[in-house]
Amino acid sequence: MSEFVRVAALSEIPDPGKNVYEVDDRFVIVIHAGGQVYCLDDVCTHDDGPLGEGDLEGNEIECPRHGAKFDIRTGEATLMPATQPTQVHEAKIEGDSIYVRLAD
């Protein structure tokens, strides 16, 4: 498994809010919601759409292309047309910094 990488200051992402970052040549969404941080691949598994451009609603993010939804905690597809999960990565807060460790 890769090492944790600092991606942002916690204050850069409102709660609730999200930003897209490039980590080791991979685009990921870092989400700040309910005092927690989550990290997902910035890709809808239905058509490779940019999830980071979608709306955040509670524990779900909606793909802006066709409305597929994903659970930000697990990556599971919760609304068609997506049926496959998107990759989740480990995220943590240390002080005012957000760190991400990409899944292998």
Side-chain angles (χ1 to χ4, degrees):
M1 186 170 262
S2 65
E3 298 295 318
F4 277 100
V5 176
R6 183 184 184 279
V7 292
L10 184 61
S11 57
E12 290 177 33
I13 306 174
D15 184 354
K18 61 186 169 42
N19 280 335
V20 175
Y21 299 95
E22 186 174 358
V23 178
D24 294 337
D25 298 321
R26 188 175 196 158
F27 287 97
V28 296
I29 313 162
V30 176
I31 299 165
H32 184 198
Q36 302 293 317
V37 289
Y38 306 94
C39 183
L40 309 168
D41 275 354
D42 182 28
V43 63
C44 174
T45 56
H46 166 246
D47 74 346
D48 296 328
L51 283 180
E53 294 177 14
D55 291 330
L56 185 60
E57 301 172 8
N59 290 322
E60 293 180 320
I61 190 162
E62 181 177 7
C63 180
R65 289 194 183 163
H66 300 110
K69 291 186 180 183
F70 297 86
D71 188 307
I72 62 172
R73 301 163 299 182
T74 65
E76 291 298 315
T78 59
L79 185 67
M80 302 255 316
T83 58
Q84 298 299 311
T86 193
Q87 181 66 56
V88 172
H89 306 284
E90 198 171 347
K92 67 180 180 177
I93 300 169
E94 284 188 2
D96 186 44
S97 294
I98 300 172
Y99 292 86
V100 168
R101 178 165 51 191
L102 298 181
D104 291 333

